Amino acid sequence: MLVLVTYDVNTEDAAGKRRLRHVAKQCVNYGQRVQNSVFECLVDPAQNKLLQSSLLSIIDEKKDSLRFYYLGNSYKQKIEHFGAKQSYEPEGVLIV
């Protein structure tokens, strides 16, 4: 299933900047950054729970925010892209 993960981390202090880096690094492990603080993650339910758990252990719930949008398996009909950044195929080949 495709999950859109968005976050807003308060970076007024050094701890917030550190949390922001950790959240982004964790999201990179599960998906593709499509905008600042927005990731598309193609995960199964178990991976989704792991991602959620790891992100919740990083953020400060009094200062930061996480959102998970569940687009499911038929996500291709639910996404339209306009503008400069080229889209990518989540199920396509990834060359590292």
Side-chain angles (χ1 to χ4, degrees), residues 1-7 22-35 37-55 66-76 79 87-92 94:
M1 76 177 146
L2 186 69
V3 179
L4 190 70
V5 179
T6 67
Y7 54 89
H22 284 99
V23 167
K25 286 180 183 179
Q26 196 60 36
C27 287
V28 166
N29 291 333
Y30 288 88
Q32 174 75 33
R33 182 188 300 262
V34 292
Q35 291 185 353
S37 302
V38 180
F39 282 80
E40 289 180 353
C41 302
L42 193 59
V43 294
D44 62 34
Q47 291 171 320
N48 183 58
K49 287 297 177 191
L50 286 172
L51 174 59
Q52 255 187 6
S53 175
S54 64
L55 293 178
L66 276 175
R67 286 179 165 256
F68 295 84
Y69 296 90
Y70 301 99
L71 300 179
N73 292 322
S74 58
Y75 59 88
K76 291 179 184 178
I79 299 172
S87 189
Y88 77 104
E89 179 59 44
E91 296 182 57
L94 178 64

